[in-house]
Amino acid sequence: MFEFDQYLGFLAFLTILTMGFWLMVFLLTFVVPYWIGGALLERFQEMKEEKKAKREAL
């Protein structure tokens, strides 16, 4: 079936594949939504400050 070298290579492949899978799950469920949410919050705050500055200028 497998020789020892092939077995180690297969285990290394499975390890890298599994790490990549869980990294993608982590990025798509936590990091990306946090990044988008922070960017939207910052943009809304900027828009609010622009309206406030425009109102004070008049």
Side-chain angles (χ1 to χ4, degrees), residues 31-47:
V31 176
V32 173
Y34 181 78
W35 180 24
I36 292 172
L40 288 174
L41 184 63
E42 187 175 340
R43 181 64 186 137
F44 289 142
Q45 288 175 351
E46 288 175 3
M47 289 170 48

Side-chain angles (χ1 to χ4, degrees), residues 4-40:
F4 189 68
D5 292 341
Q6 291 175 325
Y7 180 69
L8 286 180
F10 181 67
L11 284 180
F13 169 75
L14 283 182
T15 302
I16 293 168
L17 182 75
T18 304
M19 286 171 36
F21 171 75
W22 286 114
L23 177 66
M24 288 302 297
V25 168
F26 172 72
L27 288 174
L28 291 175
T29 58
F30 294 108
V31 176
V32 173
Y34 181 78
W35 180 24
I36 292 172
L40 288 174

